[in-house]
Amino acid sequence: MSVTLKDVAEKLGVTITTVHKALNGKEGVSEKRRAEIMKVAAQMGYKVNYMASSLSKKKFHIAVVLPNTDGDNRFYYGALWDGIRNYLDTVSEFPITVSEYAYPLTRDGNGLVLEKIFNQDSDDLQGLITIAMDHDHSSYFLEKFAKKQIPVVLIGADLHTDFRLCCIKANDTAVGYLAAELLTAFLPSGYPAKILMAGDYGCLGMEDQRLNMQAFSAYLHTYAPSIETVPFQGSDPLAVSKEIRQYLTVHPDTYAIYTCSARFTYHISQCIRQLGIQDRIQVIGNDLFTESRQALSDGILRGVIDKKISKQSALAVKTLFDYLLKKDYPRSSCLVMEPEIVLRSNFQSHSDLQK
């Protein structure tokens, strides 16, 4: 197997961009470091891939279409944007122009932006990255991009399979199962507990949240049938958290709450903090971000299911980049990331937020 830039970079503990600059005589690397890199590359048997070098001179223009990071969006979509931008920084030497389209999170927002891009910019576009929305407007224009042979990488759900190169997503069934097992693992058999389920449930077109909650319910139905589940559903997490606050004052015997998204995790955590009932109610949330880490540290959250959001988006860029640059197809049309349980004792070792 031939030695790659990545192999040389890992050997030296530097970035791929640094190795690329050093081996191609570009600025930004000291002469001492350049000599070290060239020596190690030669020892490892690295040879310049002239075909890839030639391809890298071709200019590519890709569009990234994601909700903005205003308000509650910052928890989930901030991580998506971070993953994309961080990966692009590592390949900044390659001639890829990225146009960012950030839009307000509404059910038809994604489709409206795709329509605008297709009508105004698709002639100059070589690739597209966006979230997978269960909405006719989105589906219609993704089909038009596909017919124009513009590769599309979707993040979040296995939707629109005929119109995309691939999708990057979490294993949503495993997410729901993990949360349900975590909440019920130490309950006595037949314990008559109430668990509140708070989430969007796909109201805004996010299929991943619907599958997440569906799996959570299915696990409880199979393995803890004595549990009473009480759904709280809506697209506005602040409004839902207010409903839950009122419910808890009437039903103080509630055992636990499960929230299936970052936005709901934040607002439910705030509710529990304000009520001061973290010692008697178990709360499991989704996604690691600054506020959920703090809630873990403070004992507000008993655990978080980490779906590795920024790693999903970084992989989306890498997949499209490799396809455009080298015509490397992804190993599967649906690349699935397995979730992890993060507890107070191990959350500091999880660096998804920084990478």
Side-chain angles (χ1 to χ4, degrees), residues 25 29 44 49 52 57 71 92 110-111 127 143-144 150 194 210 224 240 248-249 259 297-298 311 314 325 328 331 344:
V29 182
M44 295 178 68
N49 185 333
K57 292 178 173 60
S92 59
N110 180 264
E143 181 179 5
K144 292 180 78 69
I150 296 173
K194 286 189 180 71
R210 186 186 68 79
V240 170
L248 292 174
T249 61
T259 74
S297 179
D298 295 342
K311 291 181 182 179
L325 188 68
D328 282 354
R331 66 179 182 272
R344 190 194 309 194

Side-chain angles (χ1 to χ4, degrees), residues 235-302:
S235 59
D236 182 352
L238 181 57
V240 170
S241 69
K242 289 180 178 178
E243 292 179 20
I244 287 177
R245 185 187 186 110
Q246 293 173 351
Y247 182 91
L248 292 174
T249 61
V250 180
H251 300 275
D253 60 333
T254 300
Y255 168 68
I257 305 175
Y258 177 54
T259 74
C260 71
S261 73
R263 296 190 306 142
F264 279 85
T265 295
Y266 170 74
H267 283 286
I268 298 303
S269 295
Q270 290 294 92
C271 175
I272 298 303
R273 187 188 300 276
Q274 291 164 7
L275 291 173
I277 57 174
Q278 59 267 28
D279 292 336
R280 70 170 177 81
I281 193 162
Q282 314 296 310
V283 183
I284 302 296
N286 270 234
D287 305 321
L288 280 178
F289 48 93
T290 300
E291 290 82 356
S292 66
R293 288 169 179 262
Q294 187 62 53
L296 272 173
S297 179
D298 295 342
I300 305 295
L301 291 173
R302 290 293 185 266

Side-chain angles (χ1 to χ4, degrees), residues 11 14 46 66 74 105 111 113 154 157 164 170 191 203 240 278 301 327 339 345:
K11 177 75 172 179
V14 299
Y46 174 79
L66 299 174
R74 68 188 185 275
L105 180 61
V113 177
L154 296 178
R164 44 79 167 161
Y191 187 81
C203 291
V240 170
Q278 59 267 28
L301 291 173
K327 290 301 177 187
S345 59

Side-chain angles (χ1 to χ4, degrees), residues 40-237:
V40 171
Q43 291 174 343
M44 295 178 68
Y46 174 79
K47 295 181 180 180
V48 176
N49 185 333
Y50 290 102
M51 180 177 290
S53 179
S54 174
L55 283 170
S56 70
K57 292 178 173 60
K58 182 179 177 181
K59 296 185 182 299
F60 297 101
H61 178 207
I62 67 173
V64 178
V65 182
L66 299 174
N68 60 36
T69 57
D70 294 349
D72 294 343
N73 289 357
R74 68 188 185 275
F75 307 124
Y76 179 86
Y77 294 107
L80 281 187
W81 281 112
D82 285 346
I84 286 170
R85 290 164 180 161
N86 290 341
Y87 184 82
L88 287 172
D89 284 345
T90 70
V91 292
S92 59
E93 286 300 301
F94 292 92
I96 289 187
T97 300
V98 179
S99 295
E100 296 183 354
Y101 298 86
Y103 60 90
L105 180 61
T106 60
R107 186 166 175 78
D108 62 349
N110 180 264
L112 291 171
V113 177
L114 293 180
E115 177 181 10
K116 178 181 177 181
I117 296 170
F118 184 84
N119 291 334
Q120 297 181 4
D121 302 317
S122 62
D123 288 342
D124 298 319
L125 204 62
Q126 284 76 50
L128 170 69
I129 297 172
T130 189
I131 57 173
M133 298 291 290
D134 185 15
H135 193 271
D136 290 345
H137 206 149
S138 296
S139 180
Y140 179 84
F141 281 96
L142 287 175
E143 181 179 5
K144 292 180 78 69
F145 279 108
K147 287 182 176 178
K148 209 163 185 175
Q149 297 186 319
I150 296 173
V152 176
V153 176
L154 296 178
I155 303 173
D158 192 13
L159 297 172
H160 318 301
T161 55
D162 295 330
F163 311 139
R164 44 79 167 161
L165 174 68
C166 75
C167 77
I168 316 292
K169 65 184 293 292
N171 185 336
D172 300 304
T173 298
V175 172
Y177 283 175
L178 281 174
E181 183 169 2
L182 188 59
L183 283 176
T184 59
F186 302 107
L187 280 178
S189 177
Y191 187 81
K194 286 189 180 71
I195 294 181
L196 312 188
M197 299 163 53
D200 175 275
Y201 288 78
C203 291
L204 289 175
M206 272 80 83
E207 178 78 356
D208 55 330
Q209 293 189 29
R210 186 186 68 79
L211 294 174
N212 183 336
M213 282 302 202
Q214 187 178 70
F216 183 84
S217 297
Y219 182 96
L220 294 181
H221 179 75
T222 302
Y223 298 105
S226 63
I227 298 291
E228 177 187 351
T229 56
V230 184
F232 285 84
Q233 177 180 354
S235 59
D236 182 352

